[in-house]
Amino acid sequence: MSLSFPISATVRAPARFVDRSARPGKTDFPVRYGLLLHSRHGPILVDTGYSRELWALRGIQAALYRRLLAPTLRPEGDVEATLARHGLRAGDVRHVIATHLHPDHACALGRFPRARVHASRPALAQWAAAPGLLDGAHGLLRGLLPNLPGVDAAPFEDDPDVPLPWGGRGRDVLGDGSVVSVALPGHMPGHSGILFAGDAPLFYAVDVAWTRAGYRRDEDPPYPARLAVADLATARASAALVRRAEETGVRVALCHDPEPLPEDA
Ligand SMILES: [Zn+2]
């Protein structure tokens, strides 16, 4: 089994947008996704990162989103380019885990029509809801999401309940204990982290914070990062859960942490 976190794109922004103690100046924040090459279940994607589909979307919400975030794609980090380096194609992927539905996580979901999509019930409910005028404001670009009735969607909540190394419970996504979903609400409805179990467990805490300082310090993110948090109170509790995980020796990885990860690809 091998785990990597390819970088699909970068977003350049003042570091102080996300961390008030950061030095002045801009930082290139990576946009990661996860690829686990599972010995039994084959390639498993955790999100899909940004991709060209973002630029194919029409409408004012998509245009505004592109203007505000202005991501720079890394062609070598495209999800299919990554798979190709492992001799794999999109059709080989049987499982895609969607941590939440923000465009930087869900851009290329439509390329995996044969995969089972694992996500939390609140995320699936948001996906199934009727389009709303505020979708863009909530960071939801529905044009990126495949039609839900045509998706083999598997709610985390239907998976077996298992204990977590730091206390609390998670859900065993594949039934063999190797990949465990952990509810991390607050950032977006149904936002979930993924614990990769094994000898050296790694907890992918996704967007619970932009940098390690963001969850290690018990304080809310500064503006404008705070605007991207759907519910501050639950986000605080989720950050505390990640701190607990780290205190028990579990390594934590974040989607946008500018510090390189050993698993960056
Ligand atoms: Zn997000």
Side-chain angles (χ1 to χ4, degrees):
M1 297 234 268
S2 86
L3 174 66
S4 59
F5 289 101
I7 295 173
S8 63
T10 53
V11 172
R12 178 159 275 228
R16 284 190 176 168
F17 275 17
V18 303
D19 178 358
R20 49 174 77 76
S21 68
R23 290 200 197 131
K26 293 193 172 179
T27 298
D28 285 318
F29 289 93
V31 179
R32 297 181 173 90
Y33 55 93
L35 173 64
L36 176 69
L37 300 177
H38 194 289
S39 45
R40 223 178 82 220
H41 299 280
I44 292 165
L45 285 169
V46 180
D47 299 329
T48 62
Y50 273 132
S51 61
R52 58 181 180 271
E53 283 85 347
L54 180 64
W55 282 265
L57 272 190
R58 291 164 166 272
I60 183 84
Q61 295 192 347
L64 260 174
Y65 182 94
R66 287 190 294 264
R67 177 117 195 211
L68 269 173
L69 276 298
T72 304
L73 285 185
R74 285 177 40 154
E76 70 277 20
D78 177 84
V79 66
E80 282 180 275
T82 299
L83 289 169
R85 279 196 297 281
H86 293 282
L88 296 163
R89 290 185 296 194
D92 297 322
V93 177
R94 289 285 181 275
H95 299 276
V96 178
I97 295 170
T99 63
H100 64 301
L101 301 178
H102 277 155
D104 52 329
H105 299 262
C107 251
L109 274 183
R111 292 193 216 168
F112 303 95
R114 298 175 65 194
R116 171 165 290 180
V117 177
H118 304 261
S120 70
R121 250 189 234 296
L124 292 171
Q126 191 184 34
W127 190 341
L133 278 177
L134 289 175
D135 280 352
H138 295 148
L140 191 64
L141 296 178
R142 289 183 182 280
L144 292 171
L145 303 176
N147 257 337
L148 192 54
V151 173
D152 175 13
F156 293 142
E157 290 83 349
D158 288 354
D159 296 330
D161 189 80
V162 288
L164 295 168
W166 56 87
R169 317 286 297 182
R171 299 288 183 154
D172 181 2
V173 178
L174 300 171
D176 63 359
S178 59
V179 175
V180 177
S181 72
V182 181
L184 288 177
H187 173 70
M188 196 190 201
H191 179 254
S192 303
I194 300 296
L195 171 67
F196 297 96
D199 296 339
L202 182 145
F203 184 27
Y204 184 45
V206 202
D207 286 358
V208 90
W210 282 261
T211 65
R212 286 170 192 284
Y215 67 81
R216 283 178 179 160
R217 264 188 246 132
D218 188 12
E219 61 182 35
D220 294 329
Y223 285 101
R226 192 179 297 198
L227 299 172
V229 179
D231 185 301
L232 272 176
T234 49
R236 259 176 238 143
S238 291
L241 184 153
V242 176
R243 281 199 296 281
R244 229 168 29 244
E246 199 167 57
E247 281 158 18
T248 56
V250 172
R251 207 152 61 83
V252 173
L254 300 171
C255 179
H256 306 299
D257 187 357
E259 291 298 318
L261 296 175
E263 291 85 0
D264 277 343

